């Protein structure tokens, strides 16, 4: 589900199957707390009437939510909402549902914690393993961030493409599975911020080009540090934005 958050913002929800629609509605309701942890979801009859779907669709819906760790079915009890610690927080839909509900500062900062734990190491791997095509791609994507006329949204997309390319260039497939987390963190940061010319994002191409330069030099420690600097700066934007909101609300 590449770029789901960005695509949702640009085009709105696309046409979905009945199964996907029910999963989406129930998933959002669970994340929002409409169905709280430990509560039992309505039965098949009530849900079938509400969503105008068959019991077969409902069974598949519950299997999907169970696979995400959000619910568990028990005989003669019903389908219960599980503790959040059991949810698959790497799942792109669960992340998107948090954004639909209204993402919090804590949630975004937790995303940045994971990015700091993983992406600098990925950049170090790229410094060791990148081939000529990888380097050309990363350089072009970093330069694209310096292109004139970027909107906040287009810059977020350019930034996302760069970080996903780093994950790809690590030549470790596990790194690429973190794409949804990277996307969510970047989208969250850019949504909180003003247009790039007004908020300190003007040097974003330079900070990302430092990552590329370290990779070209085969400087593993330098690539890690350059990536860490980029992520720490993004986290700072999140904190600054929420602090500004707090001052306005006070």
């Amino acid at each position: 589900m590449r770029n789901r958050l960005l695509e949702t913002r640009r085009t709105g929800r696309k046409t979905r199957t009945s199964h996907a629609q029910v999963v989406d509605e129930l998933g959002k309701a669970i994340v929002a707390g409409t169905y709280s942890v430990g509560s039992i979801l309505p039965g098949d009859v009530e849900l079938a009437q509400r969503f105008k779907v068959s019991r077969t669709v409902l069974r598949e819906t519950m299997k999907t939510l169970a696979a995400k760790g959000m619910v568990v079915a028990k005989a003669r009890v019903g389908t219960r909402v599980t503790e959040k610690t059991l949810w698959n927080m790497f799942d792109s839909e669960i992340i998107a549902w948090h954004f639909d509900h209204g993402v919090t500062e804590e949630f975004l900062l937790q995303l940045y914690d994971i990015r700091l734990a993983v992406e600098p190491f990925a950049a170090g791997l790229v410094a060791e393993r990148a081939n000529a095509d990888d380097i050309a791609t990363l350089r072009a994507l970093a330069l694209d961030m310096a292109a004139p006329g970027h909107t906040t949204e287009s810059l977020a997309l350019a930034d996302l493409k760069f970080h996903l390319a780093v994950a790809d260039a690590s030549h470790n497939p596990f790194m690429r599975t973190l794409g949804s987390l990277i996307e969510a963190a970047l989208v969250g940061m850019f949504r909180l911020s003003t247009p790039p010319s007004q908020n300190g994002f003007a040097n974003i191409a330079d900070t990302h080009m430092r990552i590329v330069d370290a990779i070209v030099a085969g400087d593993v420690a330098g690539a890690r540090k350059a990536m860490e600097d980029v992520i720490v700066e993004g986290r700072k934007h999140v904190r600054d934005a929420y602090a500004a909101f707090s001052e306005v609300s006070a």
Side-chain angles (χ1 to χ4, degrees), residues 123 125-139 165-166 168-171 212 215-218:
L125 290 180
V126 179
E128 293 178 334
R129 302 173 178 177
N131 57 41
D133 288 341
D134 295 330
I135 291 170
T137 296
L138 290 171
R139 190 180 296 281
V166 169
D168 285 339
S170 73
H171 298 282
V212 178
I215 288 170
V216 171

Side-chain angles (χ1 to χ4, degrees), residues 11 22 40 60 116 149 152 161 192 197 208 217 220 232 246:
T11 63
V22 179
I40 303 298
E60 291 304 312
L116 278 171
T152 301
K161 287 179 178 178
L192 289 170
S197 61
H208 285 70
V220 173
V232 168
S246 296

Side-chain angles (χ1 to χ4, degrees), residues 81-163:
V81 178
T82 60
E83 296 286 342
K84 193 170 182 178
T85 53
L86 298 176
W87 300 2
N88 178 12
M89 296 302 294
F90 290 87
D91 186 280
S92 61
E93 286 191 302
I94 291 180
I95 294 172
W97 293 331
H98 278 82
F99 274 78
D100 288 334
H101 176 54
V103 69
T104 63
E105 179 181 12
E106 179 186 24
F107 183 79
L108 282 180
L109 292 178
Q110 288 169 343
L111 289 173
Y112 274 90
D113 288 343
I114 297 299
R115 292 189 67 194
L116 278 171
V118 175
E119 287 190 78
F121 187 81
L125 290 180
V126 179
E128 293 178 334
R129 302 173 178 177
N131 57 41
D133 288 341
D134 295 330
I135 291 170
T137 296
L138 290 171
R139 190 180 296 281
L141 291 172
L143 287 172
D144 182 52
M145 295 183 202
H150 268 304
T151 63
T152 301
E153 184 177 283
S154 67
L155 188 59
L157 182 57
D159 198 358
L160 173 62
K161 287 179 178 178
F162 179 90
H163 287 275

